[in-house]
Amino acid sequence: MDEDAVHGVPTHDVEKVDGWLRRYLGEFSRYQFTYVPMDTGGGKRHVMLVDVSSPRWGDLIHPLHKEYENFRPGAIFHRYAGTTEPARPVEIYALTDRARRGTKRVNVDVAVATGTVAVLPSTEDVRRTILDHLREDFMSQVHAVEEERDAAVSFRLGGLGALQAFAPDVRTPEAFRQEVDEYLSDFDAAMQKTLIQAVGDSGTPVTLQLTNPGEDNLTQVQVVLTLPGTVSAHITADTEEEIDWPRQPVKYGQASLLETRLAGLAAVQPSAHPRLFLPSPDIDHGETDTVVRFVPVDLRPHETVALDPITLCSAHEADLFDGQWRATATNVSSQIQRPLHIPAQNLDLDLRTVLRTAFGFDEDVVDGEDGEDGEDDSER
């Protein structure tokens, strides 16, 4: 028989095929088949394609139900590389474990050990006021330089000598604007981190405790906490850690090529005290909810562990905030999901007070007014 020839098979209704297979396999529904017509020049032939879906945790072992050739009922087959043979002991143990896991469930409990949601005034308007003030101050440097150059050009007696008096800035106004935008973005992040530190001082970060009340070892248990979108979540900052305030752009009109390169080198210099970065919760602020994914942990029977603390803030007044947690593990296939209620705590704290205390802002800058001297009061 030519191995390259397409011989095909007779076609049968699915009901007949199911009945024939059920005699040997019992109740088995994880397969689908279809007939594909092919014509290689010797007439149309039908090729039967059988798609068997992958087994899932909890699926039973499927032994042979009817004697077939030299194999008696109860024989268990396993697909090895290129061949199907009776299963060896190690495969039977694995199949038994697969079936047994169907009875196992994620049996854990999550509770608030300590902490509250800090309720404080919204910071968005204050931050926008400060950033607008700083942006206006920076961009006024561009206007001032352009006015001086225009005046020098129009001054007849100055001529070329007057133009040479200017040390040309290697940055274009657009490049300077982009540099300012990047600085203000980093500055905004630093302001928010300063506030989170202050919340940590005045309030209580939330610490969840995860408990395994059962008798089974659970591996890589991950807790996912979902909160209302009105609650913002942050990795709890070390209240003793110094805030890394960004370096201000060199004043426009004064940045030579050497100064620009030195500023770039200073921005990428490694810290004198490198930090050890450890795994921390992953936080996603969506439009309608805030999702916190904690680092997976292993749990022994009857063990309780504390998850990484998180700082929760909200500008929404409430006595408590309703959330929901769910947990999964890698050695079982199910998940558990329960509500979680976190109490609220009103804090007499606002960003203006924090910045005046921690950063040295005066009231004019924080309130969006220019100081009498017209200089940037935020410079460190």
Side-chain angles (χ1 to χ4, degrees):
M1 182 178 292
D2 187 359
E3 294 183 357
D4 296 329
V6 177
H7 303 286
V9 296
T11 59
H12 299 282
D13 292 337
V14 63
E15 291 82 3
K16 290 185 177 180
V17 176
D18 283 341
W20 293 334
L21 292 178
R22 194 176 297 112
R23 299 176 191 173
Y24 295 92
L25 303 180
E27 293 298 329
F28 184 83
S29 59
R30 291 192 295 104
Y31 77 96
Q32 291 181 334
F33 71 89
T34 184
Y35 294 104
V36 178
M38 299 185 66
D39 190 348
T40 59
K44 183 182 293 186
R45 300 286 189 272
H46 287 87
V47 177
M48 184 180 186
L49 299 181
V50 181
D51 181 21
V52 181
S53 60
S54 301
R56 298 166 297 181
W57 292 116
D59 282 353
L60 298 175
I61 300 175
H62 297 285
L64 186 64
H65 281 60
K66 181 181 179 181
E67 184 173 346
Y68 176 75
E69 295 183 351
N70 296 327
F71 302 102
R72 295 182 178 180
I76 299 172
F77 294 93
H78 182 77
R79 183 66 180 174
Y80 298 94
T83 182
T84 300
E85 298 178 2
R88 294 189 289 260
V90 65
E91 280 79 28
I92 295 178
Y93 292 148
L95 292 170
T96 303
D97 183 58
R98 184 191 73 189
R100 186 168 50 240
R101 289 196 190 185
T103 62
K104 292 184 179 180
R105 313 292 295 177
V106 180
N107 182 23
V108 297
D109 185 44
V110 175
V112 177
T114 58
T116 59
V117 177
V119 178
L120 61 161
S122 173
T123 64
E124 184 175 355
D125 291 342
V126 177
R127 286 164 34 222
R128 184 185 298 112
T129 298
I130 294 173
L131 296 176
D132 288 345
H133 173 88
L134 296 177
R135 179 179 285 104
E136 181 180 356
D137 182 80
F138 281 119
M139 298 314 299
S140 67
Q141 300 172 13
V142 178
H143 301 318
V145 170
E146 291 177 345
E147 290 178 357
E148 290 180 9
R149 287 177 178 172
D150 292 342
V153 170
S154 62
F155 186 52
R156 298 179 179 178
L157 296 180
L160 183 59
L163 290 176
Q164 291 175 339
F166 287 98
D169 197 307
V170 297
R171 300 165 297 180
T172 64
E174 183 59 34
F176 180 70
R177 182 187 300 276
Q178 183 177 354
E179 189 177 347
V180 169
D181 288 342
E182 293 175 356
Y183 165 78
L184 294 179
S185 176
D186 294 339
F187 191 90
D188 187 28
M191 283 195 295
Q192 295 184 63
K193 188 171 183 178
T194 301
L195 181 64
I196 296 305
Q197 280 189 338
V199 171
D201 283 333
S202 303
T204 308
V206 172
T207 299
L208 302 183
Q209 64 179 19
L210 173 64
T211 302
N212 176 11
E215 302 294 335
D216 296 320
N217 286 300
L218 298 176
T219 59
Q220 294 295 285
V221 180
Q222 184 178 54
V223 174
V224 179
L225 175 64
T226 302
L227 298 166
T230 54
V231 178
S232 63
H234 310 269
I235 297 173
T236 300
D238 182 358
T239 57
E240 301 298 326
E241 180 184 349
E242 184 177 352
I243 300 297
D244 186 18
W245 293 95
R247 182 184 296 271
Q248 285 192 1
V250 177
K251 187 174 182 180
Y252 188 75
Q254 298 180 3
S256 64
L257 182 60
L258 177 60
E259 289 172 320
T260 303
R261 288 180 177 177
L262 291 176
L265 289 174
V268 299
Q269 285 296 319
S271 172
H273 303 285
R275 301 172 186 172
L276 178 61
F277 290 97
L278 299 175
S280 57
D282 178 58
I283 299 174
D284 180 23
H285 292 100
E287 294 183 0
T288 58
D289 52 28
T290 297
V291 179
V292 182
R293 295 175 176 84
F294 292 91
V295 178
V297 297
D298 294 336
L299 277 179
R300 296 176 181 273
H302 305 288
E303 182 181 18
T304 297
V305 298
L307 301 179
D308 293 325
I310 53 175
T311 299
L312 302 179
C313 304
S314 179
H316 181 75
E317 291 285 344
D319 294 329
L320 56 83
F321 290 86
D322 297 326
Q324 188 177 72
W325 62 268
R326 69 177 186 274
T328 57
T330 57
N331 64 331
V332 287
S333 58
S334 63
Q335 75 170 12
I336 186 171
Q337 186 168 294
R338 296 286 187 274
L340 185 71
H341 308 292
I342 305 177
Q345 177 186 10
N346 287 281
L347 295 184
D348 186 15
L349 188 70
D350 62 71
L351 187 59
R352 294 181 177 87
T353 303
V354 172
L355 293 178
R356 290 181 188 129
T357 302
F359 191 58
F361 270 128
D362 64 23
E363 295 186 6
D364 292 333
V365 174
V366 175
D367 294 334
E369 301 176 1
D370 294 330
E372 295 181 359
D373 57 4
E375 295 182 353
D376 179 12
D377 299 299
S378 69
E379 187 172 0
R380 291 178 64 86

